[in-house]
Amino acid sequence: MLIHLTRLRPGHPPLAEVRTPYGPAVAAWRGDPAALPGPYHVEWTLDEARATVRPAAGPAPAVRTEGGLLLLTGEFDGAGVLRTGDSLVLLDLPAPPGWIEVAVPCLCAELYPYLT
């Protein structure tokens, strides 16, 4: 997913405040801790043991942060792939196919930047 890094909050790991095409988010940054604000292609990784899943209640795809949780809303294929817009997140979660919302603490969601 192409995101715009707004700022990094100090910490271990640093927390990244980002804007995505589907909304703002906060997640652990696994790139250079001195990264400058700007666009980055990232891969999402979620700690599935800390995640909860429910049917999507709102519009999708969506990304948002609420009360210390990252919420990803997208279409789950039932076999391990959550599609949030043009981004794929691989998940090993028990959920039926359809539109779902995955909630995970912000520190348990990680952004790994990569070069295209």
Side-chain angles (χ1 to χ4, degrees):
M1 175 182 286
L2 180 62
I3 58 100
H4 183 89
L5 175 64
T6 304
R7 76 178 188 115
L8 289 175
R9 297 180 194 168
H12 299 287
L15 282 177
E17 294 180 13
V18 302
R19 290 190 319 263
T20 77
Y22 312 104
V26 175
W29 182 254
R30 294 302 185 177
D32 182 349
L36 297 174
Y40 292 86
H41 288 276
V42 298
E43 179 179 305
W44 293 91
T45 300
L46 306 180
D47 181 347
E48 295 155 346
R50 303 285 310 273
T52 58
V53 178
R54 65 181 180 194
V63 177
R64 70 184 195 284
T65 303
E66 188 175 289
L69 295 175
L70 172 72
L71 302 154
L72 295 175
T73 304
E75 188 170 17
F76 189 63
D77 70 356
V81 177
L82 176 68
R83 180 180 297 276
T84 300
D86 64 351
S87 180
L88 302 177
V89 181
L90 302 178
L91 298 172
D92 187 18
L93 294 172
W99 292 96
I100 64 169
E101 179 179 82
V102 178
V104 64
C106 292
L107 279 171
C108 298
E110 300 174 324
L111 294 171
Y112 288 86
Y114 64 89
L115 299 175
T116 59

mmCIF file of all heavy atoms in Angstrom, residues 4 6 9 13 16 23 40 44 47 52 56 83-84 86 103 105 107 112:
data_model
loop_
_atom_site.group_PDB
_atom_site.id
_atom_site.type_symbol
_atom_site.label_atom_id
_atom_site.label_comp_id
_atom_site.label_asym_id
_atom_site.label_seq_id
_atom_site.Cartn_x
_atom_site.Cartn_y
_atom_site.Cartn_z
ATOM 1 N N HIS A 4 1.457 7.848 3.167
ATOM 2 C CA HIS A 4 2.241 9.059 3.376
ATOM 3 C C HIS A 4 2.586 9.107 4.858
ATOM 4 O O HIS A 4 1.686 9.202 5.700
ATOM 5 C CB HIS A 4 1.466 10.313 2.970
ATOM 6 C CG HIS A 4 2.294 11.554 3.113
ATOM 7 N ND1 HIS A 4 3.077 12.016 2.094
ATOM 8 C CD2 HIS A 4 2.490 12.381 4.155
ATOM 9 C CE1 HIS A 4 3.720 13.099 2.504
ATOM 10 N NE2 HIS A 4 3.382 13.332 3.763
ATOM 11 N N THR A 6 3.471 10.814 7.988
ATOM 12 C CA THR A 6 3.313 12.174 8.500
ATOM 13 C C THR A 6 4.399 12.476 9.512
ATOM 14 O O THR A 6 5.048 13.512 9.460
ATOM 15 C CB THR A 6 1.927 12.350 9.134
ATOM 16 O OG1 THR A 6 0.937 12.002 8.170
ATOM 17 C CG2 THR A 6 1.707 13.771 9.587
ATOM 18 N N ARG A 9 6.652 8.897 15.964
ATOM 19 C CA ARG A 9 6.695 9.149 17.406
ATOM 20 C C ARG A 9 7.856 8.352 17.988
ATOM 21 O O ARG A 9 7.992 7.163 17.690
ATOM 22 C CB ARG A 9 5.406 8.689 18.080
ATOM 23 C CG ARG A 9 4.163 9.408 17.636
ATOM 24 C CD ARG A 9 2.976 8.838 18.393
ATOM 25 N NE ARG A 9 1.719 9.238 17.816
ATOM 26 C CZ ARG A 9 0.548 8.691 18.144
ATOM 27 N NH1 ARG A 9 0.496 7.728 19.062
ATOM 28 N NH2 ARG A 9 -0.558 9.119 17.571
ATOM 29 N N PRO A 13 9.313 -0.032 19.143
ATOM 30 C CA PRO A 13 9.634 0.667 17.902
ATOM 31 C C PRO A 13 8.941 2.027 17.846
ATOM 32 O O PRO A 13 7.978 2.267 18.589
ATOM 33 C CB PRO A 13 9.073 -0.254 16.832
ATOM 34 C CG PRO A 13 7.877 -0.861 17.484
ATOM 35 C CD PRO A 13 8.277 -1.041 18.942
ATOM 36 N N ALA A 16 4.398 5.158 13.746
ATOM 37 C CA ALA A 16 4.249 5.983 12.555
ATOM 38 C C ALA A 16 2.823 6.500 12.466
ATOM 39 O O ALA A 16 1.871 5.727 12.581
ATOM 40 C CB ALA A 16 4.573 5.173 11.305
ATOM 41 N N GLY A 23 -7.813 6.239 4.774
ATOM 42 C CA GLY A 23 -7.933 6.884 6.068
ATOM 43 C C GLY A 23 -6.613 6.916 6.814
ATOM 44 O O GLY A 23 -5.638 6.288 6.397
ATOM 45 N N TYR A 40 5.680 6.310 1.039
ATOM 46 C CA TYR A 40 6.377 5.026 1.165
ATOM 47 C C TYR A 40 5.418 3.917 0.742
ATOM 48 O O TYR A 40 4.221 3.963 1.062
ATOM 49 C CB TYR A 40 6.795 4.743 2.613
ATOM 50 C CG TYR A 40 7.870 5.657 3.135
ATOM 51 C CD1 TYR A 40 7.542 6.888 3.704
ATOM 52 C CD2 TYR A 40 9.210 5.300 3.064
ATOM 53 C CE1 TYR A 40 8.519 7.735 4.192
ATOM 54 C CE2 TYR A 40 10.201 6.145 3.550
ATOM 55 C CZ TYR A 40 9.848 7.366 4.108
ATOM 56 O OH TYR A 40 10.819 8.210 4.586
ATOM 57 N N TRP A 44 1.765 -4.390 5.434
ATOM 58 C CA TRP A 44 1.204 -4.475 6.785
ATOM 59 C C TRP A 44 1.447 -5.864 7.345
ATOM 60 O O TRP A 44 1.278 -6.869 6.654
ATOM 61 C CB TRP A 44 -0.317 -4.270 6.756
ATOM 62 C CG TRP A 44 -0.782 -2.915 6.378
ATOM 63 C CD1 TRP A 44 -1.072 -2.480 5.107
ATOM 64 C CD2 TRP A 44 -1.051 -1.818 7.252
ATOM 65 N NE1 TRP A 44 -1.491 -1.174 5.162
ATOM 66 C CE2 TRP A 44 -1.492 -0.744 6.461
ATOM 67 C CE3 TRP A 44 -0.958 -1.649 8.622
ATOM 68 C CZ2 TRP A 44 -1.845 0.484 6.992
ATOM 69 C CZ3 TRP A 44 -1.310 -0.423 9.166
ATOM 70 C CH2 TRP A 44 -1.745 0.622 8.353
ATOM 71 N N ASP A 47 -0.319 -8.759 14.378
ATOM 72 C CA ASP A 47 -0.195 -9.827 15.360
ATOM 73 C C ASP A 47 -1.583 -10.462 15.497
ATOM 74 O O ASP A 47 -2.458 -9.932 16.184
ATOM 75 C CB ASP A 47 0.286 -9.265 16.697
ATOM 76 C CG ASP A 47 0.458 -10.332 17.762
ATOM 77 O OD1 ASP A 47 -0.019 -11.478 17.572
ATOM 78 O OD2 ASP A 47 1.042 -10.015 18.806
ATOM 79 N N THR A 52 -8.952 -8.980 16.744
ATOM 80 C CA THR A 52 -10.342 -9.422 16.802
ATOM 81 C C THR A 52 -10.981 -9.103 15.458
ATOM 82 O O THR A 52 -10.592 -8.158 14.770
ATOM 83 C CB THR A 52 -11.129 -8.731 17.928
ATOM 84 O OG1 THR A 52 -11.086 -7.321 17.729
ATOM 85 C CG2 THR A 52 -10.545 -9.066 19.289
ATOM 86 N N ALA A 56 -17.998 -6.095 9.003
ATOM 87 C CA ALA A 56 -17.826 -4.657 8.781
ATOM 88 C C ALA A 56 -19.153 -3.947 8.994
ATOM 89 O O ALA A 56 -20.173 -4.329 8.437
ATOM 90 C CB ALA A 56 -17.310 -4.397 7.378
ATOM 91 N N ARG A 83 -8.433 -7.913 1.596
ATOM 92 C CA ARG A 83 -8.197 -6.896 0.577
ATOM 93 C C ARG A 83 -8.770 -5.579 1.091
ATOM 94 O O ARG A 83 -9.977 -5.447 1.264
ATOM 95 C CB ARG A 83 -8.841 -7.265 -0.745
ATOM 96 C CG ARG A 83 -8.624 -6.219 -1.835
ATOM 97 C CD ARG A 83 -9.278 -6.609 -3.152
ATOM 98 N NE ARG A 83 -8.709 -7.830 -3.692
ATOM 99 C CZ ARG A 83 -7.601 -7.894 -4.422
ATOM 100 N NH1 ARG A 83 -6.923 -6.799 -4.670
ATOM 101 N NH2 ARG A 83 -7.168 -9.045 -4.886
ATOM 102 N N THR A 84 -7.855 -4.635 1.350
ATOM 103 C CA THR A 84 -8.251 -3.287 1.747
ATOM 104 C C THR A 84 -7.881 -2.385 0.586
ATOM 105 O O THR A 84 -6.725 -1.980 0.452
ATOM 106 C CB THR A 84 -7.547 -2.863 3.052
ATOM 107 O OG1 THR A 84 -7.902 -3.783 4.080
ATOM 108 C CG2 THR A 84 -7.977 -1.470 3.484
ATOM 109 N N ASP A 86 -6.462 -1.555 -2.723
ATOM 110 C CA ASP A 86 -5.476 -2.227 -3.567
ATOM 111 C C ASP A 86 -4.423 -2.980 -2.760
ATOM 112 O O ASP A 86 -3.480 -3.517 -3.310
ATOM 113 C CB ASP A 86 -4.795 -1.217 -4.486
ATOM 114 C CG ASP A 86 -3.994 -0.168 -3.723
ATOM 115 O OD1 ASP A 86 -4.098 -0.115 -2.483
ATOM 116 O OD2 ASP A 86 -3.274 0.609 -4.369
ATOM 117 N N ALA A 103 -9.496 -5.527 14.155
ATOM 118 C CA ALA A 103 -9.007 -4.570 15.146
ATOM 119 C C ALA A 103 -7.799 -5.177 15.843
ATOM 120 O O ALA A 103 -7.827 -6.340 16.263
ATOM 121 C CB ALA A 103 -10.092 -4.247 16.167
ATOM 122 N N PRO A 105 -4.276 -3.772 18.486
ATOM 123 C CA PRO A 105 -3.585 -2.637 19.101
ATOM 124 C C PRO A 105 -2.548 -2.052 18.133
ATOM 125 O O PRO A 105 -1.877 -2.799 17.408
ATOM 126 C CB PRO A 105 -2.911 -3.238 20.335
ATOM 127 C CG PRO A 105 -3.758 -4.422 20.672
ATOM 128 C CD PRO A 105 -4.207 -4.968 19.343
ATOM 129 N N LEU A 107 0.383 -0.948 18.467
ATOM 130 C CA LEU A 107 1.733 -1.499 18.602
ATOM 131 C C LEU A 107 1.855 -2.905 18.027
ATOM 132 O O LEU A 107 2.964 -3.396 17.831
ATOM 133 C CB LEU A 107 2.175 -1.507 20.063
ATOM 134 C CG LEU A 107 2.705 -0.182 20.584
ATOM 135 C CD1 LEU A 107 2.911 -0.230 22.095
ATOM 136 C CD2 LEU A 107 3.995 0.200 19.881
ATOM 137 N N TYR A 112 6.131 -2.229 7.189
ATOM 138 C CA TYR A 112 7.452 -2.517 6.648
ATOM 139 C C TYR A 112 7.579 -1.827 5.297
ATOM 140 O O TYR A 112 6.954 -2.251 4.322
ATOM 141 C CB TYR A 112 7.631 -4.028 6.459
ATOM 142 C CG TYR A 112 7.791 -4.786 7.744
ATOM 143 C CD1 TYR A 112 6.685 -5.235 8.461
ATOM 144 C CD2 TYR A 112 9.061 -5.040 8.260
ATOM 145 C CE1 TYR A 112 6.832 -5.930 9.651
ATOM 146 C CE2 TYR A 112 9.225 -5.740 9.440
ATOM 147 C CZ TYR A 112 8.102 -6.173 10.131
ATOM 148 O OH TYR A 112 8.253 -6.869 11.313
#
